[in-house]
Amino acid sequence: MSEAVAGAAPRTLLDKIWDAHVVVTEPGCPSVLYVDLHLVHEVTSPQAFSGLRARGIGVRRPDRTLATMDHITPTRGGLATLDAESMKMVAALERGAAEFGIPLYRLGERGNGIVHVMGPELGATRPGMTIVCGDSHTSTHGAFGALAFGIGTSEVEHVLATQCLLQRKPKAFEVRVDGRLAPGVSGKDLILAVIAKLGIGGGTGSVFEFRGEAISALSMEARMTVCNMSIEAGARAGLIAPDAKTWEFLRGRPLAPKGEEFEAMVAAGSDLKSDEGATFEGGSIVLDGWTIAPMITWGTNPGMGMAIDASVPDPATMADPGAKAMAEKALKYMGFEGGQPLLGKAIDVVFIGSCTNSRLSDLQAAADIVRGKKVADGVRMLVVPGSVNIKREAEALGLDRIFMDAGAEWRDAGCSMCIAMNGDLVPPGQLAVSTSNRNFEGRQGPGSRTLLASPATAAASAVRGAVADPREVA
Amino acid sequence: MSEREKFGEVLSHAVPLAVDNIDTDQIIPARFLRVTHKDGLAEVVFSDWRKDPDFVLNRPTSAGAKILVAGDNFGCGSSREHAPWALVAWGFRVVVSTRFADIFRNNALKNGLLPVQVEAKVVQKMLAAIADDPTTVFEVDLQRQVLVMPTGEPVRFPIDAFSKKCLLEGVDELGYLLGHEAAIAAFEARRGEAQPAGASG
Ligand code: SF4
């Protein structure tokens, strides 16, 4: 780690990680940026493996690469239930991993799970690293003070071949949340409030650095939820400087360094923070944690969010023609009227899961609300842990029983209804409260309508059979 | 493929799709990502929106168009490179918008799809001209970095020098990276594994 040089300009956390990973920058060219950890899954890798074969080259650092299967895998019945098309994708990953020597966590194996749940859980995600994956929610890993961002399949091929990427440096953007979150308000509500404020393109070209008292007070799991959705405001990545909680989370994880090596990592990590006086070129916003309420989305992108007890905005009152057209289109798709409240609105499906909210504390928050109650008649509730390990831990705590006694379905780990390419989906026209990260048209299945919310809000809504405020159900 | 196709001048009519924040789930829904190759994606581009017979891509006037004129913040959401693959498979070579999502821009440039970022009033002018006559032809000249309006008015658009060179000369980015093998090896040696180590710890 670089020592602060007397008189040197103060640097942001982004600057420090970036500077430490630039291999070379030729004039007029983007930088060659070194990648410490490359995560691979079955949907965005097959064409990259084919590309390597076509060139006759291998994977430069299989020891810096980890693969999982999560997107198209079923959450019940295992791989035997896959259709031929999906099986081909799994086979392509198996073949690529075997051929190039990449460690692969197969479905149902210990360590397997949603790619952004797995990395931190194994201790593969660590402060100061650069981490990439052919998946936009790679931003999740920024919760550990790693520069982590999503890439396309061509870039997956580049990293497999060279362990490097051609990148232009993004701008650091400060998102400061002062104060504390009120009781009943979670990390998910915080990030939905940030996205509602900035809009879904507000962070384009930037990397968010989340700071402030409310961020420090969050658990590592909640920090992952916050960084996970940075991309939903258009930012490539989210960053949170590591602190004692970060190191405690990592200590003893299977792939984390051990003993003296671990202590050396902690010591080196003390510089992993933005210097006093560093400038955030991308911009800066400040929120007051106390004023954030449980949030819910009303439209067809994650920026269309509001406090759960607010009313859906009325396009008729919007001055900006673009915003007005967007809102009208969204409300038409959702079947909502401008000005209507969502509290009490009948729902069909509740989904607890995804790389945003499928960790143990998420499942606990939902179980706390569901315990001893029943999922309302006519509502289907699906609970999908983020990894095989989380599933086992939850079962050891009896959470599976709480959900099943309430009438919810308890599934195997995977992306499930977040992306609806694995058999789990919201039927056309049905309204779902989901803890996932995208409410785009058709995201949870053709014609599906999605309200994004926290695990507590989703669970409260399952019990009520309608959109509910978790502060009133718990 | 070590040599990419070079990007020539584009002279074409354009498809108007004046919707803001078009995300990659709309460009290609996830259920069509279950492919291990890049073929057949032309049929599924904007698949859900195409169910509406009046959707612009279904109109005969859109046939053969190489330019898509879109609303603000095009290509947000999922990192799926299938989105530019599908747009290119349909026949598009240029997307015009007031803003592009970062990952989409990167993915597009690697696939011979040029993101042309212009001010809102230029998009408005293009849409008006297309509304007037859907066969209106626009020219995109990457060498000069201009979009030429039907009136002959040139509108300059930004593109970084490296991406421009890659498109114009068919430079292969992976080839460029592989060319830095010695520097990468030196970097690894210099850092040792004392830095935060990789997956195998
Ligand atoms: S859970 Fe959803 S957002 Fe996360 S990696 Fe899977 S598909 Fe992507």
Side-chain angles (χ1 to χ4, degrees):
Chain A
M1 219 33 45
S2 60
E3 293 290 311
V5 183
R11 293 189 298 163
T12 61
L13 177 53
L14 169 65
D15 293 331
K16 292 179 185 182
I17 303 177
W18 180 270
D19 293 349
H21 289 85
V22 172
V23 173
V24 58
T25 310
E26 292 190 327
C29 298
S31 296
V32 176
L33 191 74
Y34 195 77
V35 172
D36 289 320
L37 176 65
H38 183 198
L39 300 165
V40 173
H41 66 80
E42 75 280 22
V43 174
T44 54
S45 60
Q47 294 87 349
F49 287 129
S50 307
L52 294 183
R53 288 184 198 108
R55 278 188 195 251
I57 52 179
V59 172
R60 181 180 178 88
R61 295 295 300 265
D63 60 327
R64 288 188 175 276
T65 314
L66 280 183
T68 186
M69 38 184 83
D70 54 1
H71 281 66
I72 62 165
T73 48
T75 59
R76 174 171 283 172
L79 290 180
T81 65
L82 278 185
D83 60 22
E85 231 179 355
S86 301
M87 204 53 221
K88 251 195 191 165
M89 303 206 67
V90 169
L93 181 65
E94 294 258 11
R95 180 181 163 209
E99 183 178 346
F100 298 110
I102 298 168
L104 167 65
Y105 292 83
R106 289 180 183 76
L107 191 67
E109 278 180 9
R110 210 174 177 75
N112 169 264
I114 304 173
V115 63
H116 311 307
V117 174
M118 179 190 85
E121 180 183 286
L122 292 172
T125 297
R126 299 201 288 278
M129 279 184 155
T130 46
I131 302 178
V132 301
C133 172
D135 193 286
S136 60
H137 292 100
T138 308
S139 58
T140 312
H141 308 263
F144 292 80
L147 176 59
F149 52 88
I151 56 177
T153 298
S154 297
E155 291 172 318
V156 169
E157 185 181 337
H158 296 178
V159 180
L160 288 172
T162 66
Q163 204 58 30
C164 289
L165 266 180
L166 280 169
Q167 284 292 303
R168 266 168 220 88
K169 190 178 171 188
K171 294 191 165 93
F173 187 123
E174 177 188 42
V175 179
R176 202 177 85 208
V177 189
D178 291 334
R180 289 292 178 120
L181 297 181
V185 178
S186 69
K188 180 62 161 289
D189 301 307
L190 186 159
I191 188 63
L192 283 172
V194 169
I195 302 163
K197 186 168 170 124
L198 282 172
I200 65 163
T204 305
S206 307
V207 166
F208 289 154
E209 183 180 335
F210 295 96
R211 351 204 274 156
E213 190 189 348
I215 302 295
S216 303
L218 293 176
S219 68
M220 286 314 295
E221 300 199 341
R223 292 179 191 181
M224 284 187 250
T225 303
V226 168
C227 288
N228 172 276
M229 289 190 74
S230 304
I231 181 73
E232 306 310 337
R236 274 310 275 288
L239 271 176
I240 297 175
D243 61 11
K245 283 182 196 171
T246 318
W247 307 116
E248 271 331 294
F249 182 99
L250 290 172
R251 195 183 295 277
R253 301 262 162 194
L255 299 182
K258 307 276 172 328
E260 272 175 32
E261 266 188 60
F262 187 88
E263 298 316 323
M265 173 175 80
V266 175
S270 65
D271 188 41
L272 285 171
K273 55 177 188 277
S274 289
D275 296 330
E276 198 77 39
T279 32
F280 290 89
E281 278 177 90
S284 178
I285 59 163
V286 182
L287 280 81
D288 177 358
W290 282 112
T291 63
I292 298 172
M295 296 285 291
I296 195 151
T297 60
W298 52 266
T300 52
N301 74 51
M304 295 172 160
M306 63 180 195
I308 190 148
D309 51 3
S311 298
V312 171
D314 187 351
T317 65
M318 294 182 181
D320 177 64
K324 183 176 174 164
M326 275 301 288
E328 279 170 351
K329 186 172 189 293
L331 290 183
K332 181 161 175 250
Y333 183 83
M334 295 301 290
F336 298 157
E337 302 284 335
Q340 85 173 86
L342 288 183
L343 273 181
K345 171 92 191 154
I347 56 160
D348 306 293
V349 176
V350 166
F351 170 56
I352 310 265
S354 89
C355 57
T356 313
N357 281 126
S358 64
R359 285 167 279 265
L360 192 62
S361 59
D362 299 315
L363 305 184
Q364 277 166 326
D368 283 346
I369 285 181
V370 167
R371 182 179 288 114
K373 302 191 182 78
K374 290 279 175 210
V375 174
D377 282 346
V379 173
R380 179 184 183 207
M381 181 179 186
L382 200 72
V383 186
V384 187
S387 72
V388 171
N389 287 329
I390 291 170
K391 183 170 194 235
R392 289 182 192 175
E393 286 171 41
E395 288 174 350
L397 294 172
L399 303 188
D400 57 328
R401 291 280 13 135
I402 295 173
F403 289 122
M404 287 189 286
D405 288 348
E409 297 172 45
W410 175 249
R411 294 298 190 92
D412 296 332
C415 294
S416 184
M417 269 189 192
C418 173
I419 191 157
M421 60 188 300
N422 43 47
D424 297 342
L425 52 79
V426 176
Q430 290 204 357
L431 189 60
V433 180
S434 292
T435 66
S436 49
N437 42 52
R438 287 188 173 139
N439 51 351
F440 297 146
E441 288 182 24
R443 169 75 178 190
Q444 293 196 277
S448 60
R449 299 183 295 148
T450 301
L451 307 173
L452 300 176
S454 71
T457 299
S461 303
V463 169
R464 283 278 170 87
V467 174
D469 187 329
R471 296 169 299 190
E472 285 163 15
V473 178
Chain B
M1 185 166 58
S2 57
E3 175 83 356
R4 303 221 173 244
E5 201 188 326
K6 291 174 190 160
F7 191 97
E9 267 181 22
V10 173
L11 205 63
S12 166
H13 64 296
V15 173
L17 190 54
V19 177
D20 289 348
N21 302 313
I22 294 175
D23 59 82
T24 54
D25 271 271
Q26 307 315 314
I27 301 171
I28 178 166
R31 59 187 184 281
F32 301 114
L33 307 185
R34 299 189 303 166
V35 287
T36 50
H37 46 74
K38 303 177 188 176
D39 312 329
L41 297 179
E43 286 83 70
V44 297
V45 72
F46 287 108
S47 175
D48 288 349
W49 290 3
R50 272 159 89 177
K51 286 176 192 155
D52 171 4
D54 197 39
F55 178 62
V56 65
L57 279 193
N58 293 332
R59 292 183 207 149
T61 47
S62 294
K66 293 181 182 163
I67 302 173
L68 179 68
V69 185
D72 185 52
N73 194 31
F74 187 81
C76 58
S78 159
S79 64
R80 59 191 68 163
E81 196 162 326
H82 309 67
W85 293 341
L87 289 166
V88 168
W90 195 87
F92 289 119
R93 304 302 309 275
V94 172
V95 183
V96 180
S97 172
T98 45
R99 179 167 48 170
F100 293 90
D102 293 328
I103 305 179
F104 179 84
R105 179 196 295 274
N106 284 345
N107 285 341
L109 287 165
K110 289 183 175 57
N111 289 282
L113 182 66
L114 179 65
V116 170
Q117 187 165 335
V118 294
E119 288 176 38
K121 62 173 197 267
V122 176
V123 171
Q124 291 314 327
K125 272 191 203 168
M126 291 182 83
L127 293 172
I130 301 166
D132 235 27
D133 175 5
T135 66
T136 304
V137 168
F138 301 87
E139 184 189 345
V140 176
D141 182 341
L142 174 58
Q143 180 63 52
R144 293 195 297 137
Q145 285 181 234
V146 288
L147 160 71
V148 186
M149 302 296 274
T151 53
E153 178 201 352
V155 179
R156 207 174 151 77
F157 61 85
I159 182 169
D160 68 276
F162 184 78
S163 300
K164 180 174 171 178
K165 181 172 142 99
C166 287
L167 282 171
L168 286 175
E169 297 173 17
V171 173
D172 152 40
E173 290 191 23
L174 179 49
Y176 177 88
L177 278 168
L178 288 165
H180 283 89
E181 157 62 31
I184 297 168
F187 178 89
E188 286 177 326
R190 186 163 74 239
R191 248 182 21 147
E193 299 295 280
Q195 284 293 323
S200 62

PDB file of all heavy atoms in Angstrom, chain A residues 247 278 347:
ATOM      1  N   TRP A 247     -13.125  -6.454   8.586  1.00  0.00           N
ATOM      2  CA  TRP A 247     -12.105  -7.462   8.909  1.00  0.00           C
ATOM      3  C   TRP A 247     -12.721  -8.603   9.702  1.00  0.00           C
ATOM      4  O   TRP A 247     -12.394  -9.770   9.470  1.00  0.00           O
ATOM      5  CB  TRP A 247     -10.936  -6.825   9.673  1.00  0.00           C
ATOM      6  CG  TRP A 247     -10.365  -5.637   8.952  1.00  0.00           C
ATOM      7  CD1 TRP A 247     -10.357  -4.341   9.384  1.00  0.00           C
ATOM      8  CD2 TRP A 247      -9.743  -5.614   7.652  1.00  0.00           C
ATOM      9  NE1 TRP A 247      -9.776  -3.515   8.449  1.00  0.00           N
ATOM     10  CE2 TRP A 247      -9.387  -4.268   7.374  1.00  0.00           C
ATOM     11  CE3 TRP A 247      -9.445  -6.597   6.693  1.00  0.00           C
ATOM     12  CZ2 TRP A 247      -8.767  -3.880   6.194  1.00  0.00           C
ATOM     13  CZ3 TRP A 247      -8.825  -6.214   5.518  1.00  0.00           C
ATOM     14  CH2 TRP A 247      -8.491  -4.868   5.279  1.00  0.00           C
ATOM     15  N   ALA A 278      -9.946  15.102  -0.043  1.00  0.00           N
ATOM     16  CA  ALA A 278      -9.954  14.559  -1.416  1.00  0.00           C
ATOM     17  C   ALA A 278     -11.198  15.056  -2.152  1.00  0.00           C
ATOM     18  O   ALA A 278     -12.249  15.225  -1.542  1.00  0.00           O
ATOM     19  CB  ALA A 278      -9.949  13.030  -1.370  1.00  0.00           C
ATOM     20  N   ILE A 347     -51.762  -7.891  -3.595  1.00  0.00           N
ATOM     21  CA  ILE A 347     -50.618  -8.433  -4.344  1.00  0.00           C
ATOM     22  C   ILE A 347     -50.806  -9.934  -4.579  1.00  0.00           C
ATOM     23  O   ILE A 347     -51.651 -10.564  -3.937  1.00  0.00           O
ATOM     24  CB  ILE A 347     -49.292  -8.198  -3.589  1.00  0.00           C
ATOM     25  CG1 ILE A 347     -49.373  -8.807  -2.180  1.00  0.00           C
ATOM     26  CG2 ILE A 347     -48.985  -6.714  -3.520  1.00  0.00           C
ATOM     27  CD1 ILE A 347     -48.041  -9.064  -1.562  1.00  0.00           C
TER      28      ILE A 347
END
